[in-house]
Amino acid sequence: MPATERGPRPRRATLADVAALAGVTPGTASKALNGRGRLRPETRQRVLDAAEQLRFQPSAAAQSLLSGRSWTVGLITTDSIGRFGIPVLLGAEDALGAGRTSVLLCDTRGDAIRERHHLQALTARGVDGIIVAGRRTDPRRPLPGPLSVPVVYALGPSTDPGDISVVSDDADGVHLAVRHLADSGRTRVAHVTGPEHHAAAAARAHHTRRALREFGIGLATGRVHYGEWSETWGRQAADIVLRAQPDCDAFFCGNDQIGRGVADALRESGHRVPQDIAVIGYDNWEVMALAARPPLTTVDTSLLEVGRTAALRLMDAIEGSPHHGIESVPCRLVIRDSTGPSATS
């Protein structure tokens, strides 16, 4: 069809159109779309729905000029495998996406030189803020400064108490697991975990001892068994524990890999799981927990929520309301077939 015979091009939706459809003022619509202000969740969602219905596409250049922001956030991770970094990233994207903010992912592979390079690149791009996601829960030194944008640390907290760090609440996760074992009648629980110098292993062992005392449960063999974060160590540890205390009736493991190794060793030695001995893992790494036989009951460390909360705290800081200290996100217990009533209950 010749160009002179084409119909008029559809008019592009404006912010005023979105506001009218949502029943709010243009100023409120702008705040909802940009993730600013303290709006009621239903109001923000109504504006987002209206924008989607009208296929509203705000001009990125105009947004930046008006707000002085780039509407981008950097996420620096040390987790090259992505086991912990990716869930944190997804949670952050969920929170930032409502405000039309994009996330730039940078993997340092645990190398300080790479970290400085990525930090310089993000600063040059004019990001509004940075989230630093660790691959472990060990505290880390803050990013070298001074920095011109706010920073939030996720999973691995900053050693500077003036920073804001968002972490998974290991005390809560351990308490959930031990209470579940107590409720199912277990009285002699072994704790098998990773290297003692890892913060996660040391913290979970400390909280396990405390929770066992609270519920009047004995620590099988009288000590925590430290080793590696591996299935191989789980199999070895199961043999060590049962040789020292054959009447052990539960294993609480520092991660799911160890838990799967323990479950394999128990099955191969003729012990029924969970009828004779219950097994609980940690992290809810579904690839590992669901492949175990039987599937592992485990503590979910709520990494998506850690990422989401970190993003919300970063947005607060960008808006001029920074937080400080360590904020803990509750865990949840995912019950599967590796636990249940004890054989004598």
Side-chain angles (χ1 to χ4, degrees):
M1 178 183 294
T4 56
E5 298 180 16
R6 291 176 182 169
R9 180 175 297 177
R11 185 175 69 85
R12 185 172 183 175
T14 66
L15 180 63
D17 296 328
V18 174
L21 181 59
V24 300
T25 65
T28 297
S30 176
K31 290 179 181 179
L33 293 171
N34 293 329
R36 296 185 290 110
R38 297 189 178 278
L39 303 179
R40 297 172 63 182
E42 55 268 30
T43 300
R44 190 183 302 275
Q45 190 59 52
R46 196 163 69 247
V47 173
L48 295 176
D49 291 342
E52 183 177 0
Q53 181 178 335
L54 294 174
R55 299 183 180 179
F56 174 69
Q57 293 293 331
S59 166
Q63 281 186 308
S64 296
L65 286 172
L66 289 172
S67 65
R69 291 175 53 180
S70 66
W71 303 101
T72 57
V73 163
L75 190 145
I76 296 176
T77 178
T78 60
D79 183 13
S80 58
I81 298 175
R83 163 68 190 94
F84 300 103
I86 288 178
V88 171
L89 169 64
L90 294 176
E93 282 189 325
D94 284 347
L96 295 168
R100 302 296 193 266
T101 299
S102 300
V103 179
L104 303 177
L105 176 63
C106 301
D107 178 13
T108 70
R109 305 179 192 175
D111 178 42
I113 295 176
R114 282 179 178 271
E115 182 174 89
R116 286 196 296 272
H117 167 74
H118 287 310
L119 180 59
Q120 291 169 357
L122 291 172
T123 302
R125 292 180 68 102
V127 296
D128 298 323
I130 297 172
I131 297 173
V132 181
R135 71 171 181 267
R136 298 205 305 248
T137 62
D138 298 72
R140 56 150 294 154
R141 293 173 60 87
L143 293 178
L147 298 175
S148 59
V149 296
V151 178
V152 175
Y153 296 85
L155 191 61
S158 168
T159 55
D160 185 345
D163 292 329
I164 174 63
S165 302
V166 181
V167 302
S168 178
D169 190 344
D170 273 339
D172 175 62
V174 168
H175 192 270
L176 291 172
V178 174
R179 182 174 64 186
H180 178 58
L181 292 174
D183 289 345
S184 62
R186 311 295 169 164
T187 59
R188 298 169 297 280
V189 177
H191 186 51
V192 179
T193 191
E196 188 171 6
H197 65 274
H198 282 200
R204 291 168 192 173
H206 169 74
H207 296 313
T208 297
R209 287 181 180 274
R210 186 173 64 181
L212 290 175
R213 288 194 298 269
E214 176 184 343
F215 289 102
I217 298 175
L219 177 63
T221 76
R223 67 182 182 91
V224 172
H225 294 267
Y226 294 101
E228 301 298 326
W229 301 113
S230 69
E231 294 175 68
T232 299
W233 165 237
R235 289 191 290 269
Q236 294 171 347
D239 181 64
I240 292 170
V241 169
L242 292 179
R243 285 178 182 273
Q245 187 160 354
D247 62 350
C248 169
D249 61 9
F251 280 80
F252 177 33
C253 304
N255 77 351
D256 293 328
Q257 289 169 278
I258 296 173
R260 181 174 173 179
V262 166
D264 286 346
L266 293 176
R267 187 180 64 254
E268 291 166 5
S269 63
H271 294 87
R272 299 172 301 164
V273 178
Q275 292 89 342
D276 300 328
I277 303 177
V279 181
I280 295 184
Y282 210 102
D283 291 332
N284 194 28
W285 186 10
E286 290 191 345
V287 170
M288 189 65 56
L290 293 177
R293 293 189 295 169
L296 281 178
T297 290
T298 181
V299 176
D300 189 307
T301 51
S302 302
L303 295 182
L304 284 170
E305 185 62 19
V306 167
R308 192 188 76 84
T309 303
L312 293 175
R313 298 299 169 263
L314 184 62
M315 287 194 288
D316 286 344
I318 292 170
E319 292 294 330
S321 301
H323 299 255
H324 306 281
I326 296 178
E327 180 173 346
S328 297
V329 174
C331 296
R332 64 186 181 92
L333 185 67
V334 180
I335 299 176
R336 299 193 179 99
D337 294 341
S338 68
T339 57
S342 66
T344 58
S345 64

